[in-house]
Amino acid sequence: ATEAKTKVVVSLATLVEDFLETARVYGRVIISEVFIPSKEKTIKPVAVGGVLGGEKFIVGNVLFKFAVDRGVF
C-alpha cells in the first residue's frame, strides 16, 4: 500500500514538473512575441472561443491564454 502511494506521489510530482517546464518555456516565447503579428509568431494563436478575448495558444497539451486589455471594463 505504501509503495503504491509512493508511485502515485512520484507520478504526480513528475506531472507537475513537466507542466511547470512547459509553462516556463512556451510562456516566455508567447510573451516575447506579444507585439509580433499573429501570422509571424512562432506559436500561432488558436480560436477556441471565449467571452472577453485575449489570445489563446495550445502547446504541449497546455492551453495558454494571454490577456489583452481592450478596454472592456
Side-chain angles (χ1 to χ4, degrees), residues 29-56:
V29 173
I30 291 166
I31 292 167
S32 71
E33 296 182 346
V34 67
F35 297 110
I36 295 175
S38 294
K39 64 182 178 184
E40 297 175 21
K41 292 183 180 193
T42 305
I43 303 167
K44 307 290 190 241
V46 294
V48 292
V51 177
L52 294 178
E55 286 189 308
K56 291 127 186 131

Side-chain angles (χ1 to χ4, degrees), residues 6 11-13 17 21-22 29-30 37 41 49 52 54 60-61 65-66 70:
T6 301
S11 294
L12 185 56
E17 287 300 318
E21 187 61 20
T22 298
V29 173
I30 291 166
K41 292 183 180 193
L52 294 178
N61 290 324
K65 179 173 180 181
F66 193 88
R70 301 201 192 279

